[in-house]
Amino acid sequence: MNALGWGRLGVYRSVFVAANLRQTNDHGPKGVVQVPTGPLPDWVLQQRRRVGDRVRDLREQRGLSQERLAELTGLSRHTVYRIELAQYGTSIDHLALIARALRVEIGSLFS
C-alpha cells in the first residue's frame, strides 16, 4: 500500500480508467494531461536506455554486481537488471535509491 492507501492494483486501475476516459472523451478540460494509450514514443525509450546505460556504467566503475547494488538499494536483482536493459519504466524513487547506493547525485543518472 502507498501513502494514499492504494495497493498496486488501485494505481493500475486508475491508469486504466484514465486511459479509457481519454479514448471516449478526447475533449477533456483544458490543462489536464492525457494518459497516452499507445506505445511510448522512441525518444522516451531512448532516454530510458541512456539512464539504464548510465546506471550500469556507474555500477561497473564501482566494482558492484547487480546483486550487490540490489542489496544496497533494497530492490530485487531482477529490477536492477530490467532498469539497466531499459525494459522497465522505473520510478523516481528507485532512481533515488540507486543514486544514493552509487554515491552520486540523482541528476548524474541522466547525463
Side-chain angles (χ1 to χ4, degrees):
M1 293 243 172
N2 64 19
L4 298 174
W6 295 1
R8 249 188 202 174
L9 184 57
V11 174
Y12 293 139
R13 184 175 294 134
S14 297
V15 170
F16 177 75
V17 169
N20 284 335
L21 287 175
R22 183 185 184 286
Q23 290 175 354
T24 58
N25 181 10
D26 286 335
H27 306 291
K30 291 183 180 179
V32 174
V33 176
Q34 299 292 331
V35 176
T37 58
L40 291 172
D42 284 340
W43 66 269
V44 172
L45 299 175
Q46 289 171 357
Q47 292 298 317
R48 187 188 289 178
R49 280 185 218 104
R50 286 182 58 202
V51 169
D53 289 346
R54 183 72 173 141
V55 168
R56 184 183 57 249
D57 291 345
L58 289 168
R59 176 182 60 76
E60 289 175 350
Q61 285 174 12
R62 283 150 181 77
L64 298 173
S65 65
Q66 287 179 345
E67 292 81 7
R68 183 63 183 139
L69 181 58
E71 290 172 5
L72 292 171
T73 60
L75 302 172
S76 71
R77 190 212 50 86
H78 189 67
T79 296
V80 171
Y81 168 81
R82 288 173 40 194
I83 290 169
E84 288 185 2
L85 289 182
Q87 295 178 339
Y88 179 66
T90 191
S91 72
I92 193 74
D93 299 341
H94 289 176
L95 294 177
L97 291 167
I98 289 169
R100 176 172 260 190
L102 295 172
R103 297 185 180 153
V104 297
E105 293 292 323
I106 193 167
S108 68
L109 298 180
F110 298 94
S111 59

